[in-house]
Amino acid sequence: MATGSMINGKTSHWWHQLGQPSRRPGLPGDLTVDVAIVGAGFTGLWTAYYLKQARPNLKIAVIEQEHAGYGASGRNGGWLTNSITGGREQYLKQSGFAAFLRRSGLGRLPGGFGGGLASGSTSGPVSRDTVERFQTLFNQTVTEVMRVAELEGVDADIKRGGEFNVAYTPAQEARLRRFAAAEQRWRSTDLQLLEASEARAKINVAGTRAAIWHPHCARIHPAKLVSGLAEAVTRLGVTIYEGTRAIELESGQVITDHGTVRADFVVRATEGFTANLKGLKRLWLPMNSSMIATEPIAPEIWDEIGWREGETLGDFAHVYMYAQRTADDRIAFGGRGVPYRYGSRTDNDGTTQPVTAQTLGDLLRRFFPQLQNTRIEHLWSGVLGVPRDWSATVGLDRSTGIAWAGGYVGTGVAATNLAGRTLTDLIIGERSELTEMPWVDHRARRWEFEPLRWIATRGLYTAYGVADRQEFAGRKTTSPIAKIADVITGRH
Ligand SMILES: Cc1cc2nc3c(=O)[nH]c(=O)nc-3n(C[C@H](O)[C@H](O)[C@H](O)COP(=O)(O)OP(=O)(O)OC[C@H]3O[C@@H](n4cnc5c(N)ncnc54)[C@H](O)[C@@H]3O)c2cc1C
């Protein structure tokens, strides 16, 4: 696989393809509005969108340090999926030893997936019915995003082909089957277990042993969706001030490098960049994720691979990958990279270490050996926000008027829409089903001081990487190294 003329950074392949946007004007000076939103990613823009639908007369300003969609919203893998960050089980009422483990942060119940350390969280457990309802709302959110995109004339290459996750080692297969059994105990998941031949008929991943699939996921083109949404919001009368950096958020005002915005409500929608705001350095850890995009792949190779329906593709490795077949027949493939930069530093316009293209390219070839000579055209990275308990949160502090949403870890494309609708209800003061969901006002304790953050994150990723290599080499059961790392992070 060649990487010779590969582009590194320039925000993302998605923006490069669409063309870098021309900047909207910055904040002209001090300003007074009803609602000031900091961050023009999906969270900020969906919040502005639904607030305007609910209260057309509200004066809303969105403050953005670069341009709308500069962050993860314009760089992601394009999975519009129904995942609840940190898994569903975390919200359930638990008793006895399991509850002790969760409260103490020592582990979580088996069966959950992709979740985290629950130490120091403040929200209480809820009933199984509420968690089912929460999942159903996430399922419906996929449809809601598609509805608004169509209504607003946003063509974002959306194709709803469901989410497909494959196992290609014995240890991955064991985890997949345990996961499928646990998922099938929930009414709202609609998960199907596919044996190897059925799985390969959908997407022909080399070495497939089994896969799972569910219908609540669509592939999107991130930059097309976020830029279309920014235009829709602007048409509704919201002003997006670009090239304007917020320095500090306070009750009733946002202090920026261009002046102060006074507002009844201030919404923090800065996700992976939150650590740059005054006083919030240890709130959410900025975690990097990296992606590559190949050149367009020839039809005869696609005939061998399949992947015809726009499914998103993931796996059951510990450091998992995520991919989509793009509308123009490339593969956009994400996963390993430098996970964390010392001192919570964020990246430089998506530029990342070139060796990441090699790592991701090797894995892509492992999946599809037909791509030996396929060129990688683009490499980039983005930053996502990781709370200490790996659980997303949305809320409003009525005493200060400061609202927030984020901490979606790697699953925010759909979650931001549900968060935007929830913030709208909280801000206009309407109690609704959305405001009763368990992520509302959920708070986790802050991350440790450096160098502990750096040591812990690097150590865990190294451990997961070693475990994956052991499993690739034929280990039949989950590596004990990964099991120890799982206990520390609270996964599984
Ligand atoms: C490489 C990658 C792949 C991913 N893949 C997927 C996926 O396939 N599916 C999925 O569901 N999720 C995925 N995610 C996560 C998902 O993209 C995010 O959860 C989601 O986009 C978050 O949206 P947001 O608006 O909260 O944050 P962002 O999109 O990061 O927006 C925050 C905005 O705030 C601005 N900002 C920050 N600080 C300031 C400040 N001080 N002043 C002014 N403006 C500021 C930033 O410039 C940015 O535009 C991925 C993330 C990455 C990085």
Side-chain angles (χ1 to χ4, degrees):
M1 187 167 282
T3 58
S5 56
M6 180 186 75
I7 300 164
N8 186 351
K10 296 202 187 296
T11 319
S12 68
H13 162 73
W14 313 115
W15 275 117
H16 182 72
Q17 192 171 49
L18 202 58
Q20 291 296 331
S22 50
R23 286 283 170 101
R24 296 178 172 87
L27 186 72
D30 292 353
L31 184 75
T32 300
V33 293
D34 298 310
V35 183
I37 297 173
V38 181
F42 285 136
T43 298
L45 295 171
W46 282 124
T47 306
Y49 182 83
Y50 289 107
L51 272 172
K52 270 291 189 187
Q53 299 290 335
R55 298 282 186 275
N57 292 332
L58 278 182
K59 201 169 170 205
I60 302 175
V62 181
I63 311 298
E64 167 55 49
Q65 61 185 359
E66 297 285 345
H67 60 78
Y70 170 79
S73 299
R75 306 188 196 187
N76 59 72
W79 289 35
L80 174 66
T81 189
N82 69 345
S83 296
I84 297 179
T85 306
R88 241 171 272 116
E89 276 75 7
Q90 61 176 312
Y91 296 112
L92 275 182
K93 284 187 180 122
Q94 290 164 9
S95 57
F97 189 57
F100 164 73
L101 284 179
R102 284 215 65 72
R103 277 197 307 272
S104 62
L106 292 175
R108 74 191 181 98
L109 283 176
F113 181 64
L117 199 71
S119 54
S121 300
T122 56
S123 53
V126 296
S127 70
R128 195 172 175 93
D129 275 352
T130 303
V131 181
E132 288 278 12
R133 192 58 207 142
F134 194 33
Q135 182 62 67
T136 304
L137 284 168
F138 266 89
N139 298 350
Q140 291 166 348
T141 298
V142 176
T143 312
E144 170 64 7
V145 172
M146 293 173 70
R147 180 191 73 82
V148 177
E150 189 171 351
L151 181 75
E152 299 294 342
V154 180
D155 178 0
D157 297 341
I158 302 179
K159 190 165 180 183
R160 187 175 192 153
E163 181 182 324
F164 178 96
N165 287 287
V166 67
Y168 50 88
T169 68
Q172 286 188 22
E173 182 186 354
R175 286 197 292 278
L176 179 146
R177 289 187 189 278
R178 270 202 309 278
F179 176 71
E183 285 290 285
Q184 280 161 347
R185 288 197 284 272
W186 291 89
R187 289 195 308 275
S188 46
T189 53
D190 305 312
L191 189 97
Q192 291 175 22
L193 176 64
L194 307 176
E195 295 302 337
S197 61
E198 285 172 287
R200 290 190 82 146
K202 258 185 179 305
I203 306 181
N204 188 9
V205 174
T208 295
R209 304 176 70 92
I212 51 170
W213 180 87
H214 71 75
H216 304 293
C217 183
R219 169 207 76 191
I220 62 150
H221 185 299
K224 287 186 183 174
L225 185 59
V226 73
S227 59
L229 182 59
E231 278 162 32
V233 157
T234 310
R235 281 197 299 275
L236 291 172
V238 172
T239 309
I240 304 174
Y241 297 101
E242 297 191 337
T244 303
R245 191 168 63 84
I247 296 159
E248 189 172 5
L249 276 55
E250 293 177 347
S251 178
Q253 64 179 19
V254 179
I255 300 165
T256 82
D257 57 359
H258 281 50
T260 296
V261 184
R262 292 196 172 69
D264 296 335
F265 295 96
V266 169
V267 179
R268 196 184 74 227
T270 48
E271 244 280 303
F273 302 89
T274 301
N276 298 336
L277 288 167
K278 198 166 167 197
L280 299 177
K281 192 152 195 92
R282 292 189 296 121
L283 187 68
W284 295 337
L285 188 122
M287 185 85 85
N288 295 289
S289 195
S290 298
M291 296 199 70
I292 51 172
T294 67
E295 64 183 328
I297 294 167
E300 51 282 13
I301 297 185
W302 281 119
D303 287 344
E304 288 175 32
I305 293 176
W307 204 351
R308 294 175 193 90
E309 305 299 333
E311 302 91 337
T312 58
L313 167 65
D315 73 2
F316 267 79
H318 298 290
V319 185
Y320 42 76
M321 50 67 63
Y322 50 91
Q324 66 155 280
R325 174 175 176 174
T326 65
D328 61 347
D329 281 341
R330 304 166 192 268
I331 295 178
F333 193 96
R336 292 138 224 259
V338 179
Y340 176 68
R341 290 180 167 87
Y342 191 86
S344 294
R345 278 181 297 122
T346 46
D347 65 75
N348 182 8
D349 293 340
T351 307
T352 193
Q353 280 148 323
V355 68
T356 302
Q358 190 65 47
T359 320
L360 289 173
D362 287 348
L363 191 62
L364 175 61
R365 269 197 310 265
R366 184 187 173 102
F367 272 60
F368 305 115
Q370 303 88 337
L371 302 181
Q372 280 315 323
N373 299 317
T374 303
R375 233 163 24 86
I376 295 175
E377 286 197 347
H378 209 132
L379 164 71
W380 72 97
S381 73
V383 67
L384 35 95
V386 182
R388 182 62 173 75
D389 65 355
W390 294 63
S391 300
T393 169
V394 38
L396 166 66
D397 179 345
R398 293 222 160 265
S399 66
T400 60
I402 297 180
W404 66 88
Y408 313 106
V409 190
T411 54
V413 174
T416 46
N417 175 279
L418 191 58
R421 285 185 281 143
T422 306
L423 281 176
T424 296
D425 286 354
L426 290 171
I427 289 170
I428 65 176
E430 200 161 284
R431 242 183 115 168
S432 69
E433 184 182 30
L434 302 190
T435 62
E436 301 300 311
M437 287 299 118
W439 66 345
V440 174
D441 214 21
H442 176 88
R443 295 178 205 216
R445 74 172 165 86
R446 292 182 179 228
W447 283 92
E448 285 73 6
F449 287 98
E450 292 292 27
L452 283 180
R453 292 203 296 280
W454 187 84
I455 292 169
T457 319
R458 282 297 175 105
L460 285 169
Y461 267 79
T462 305
Y464 281 129
V466 170
D468 278 334
R469 281 194 292 281
Q470 289 178 347
E471 294 178 14
F472 286 171
R475 203 196 146 82
K476 298 260 179 309
T477 54
T478 293
S479 161
I481 297 172
K483 285 186 178 158
I484 294 167
D486 281 348
V487 171
I488 296 168
T489 59
R491 274 188 189 179
H492 289 280

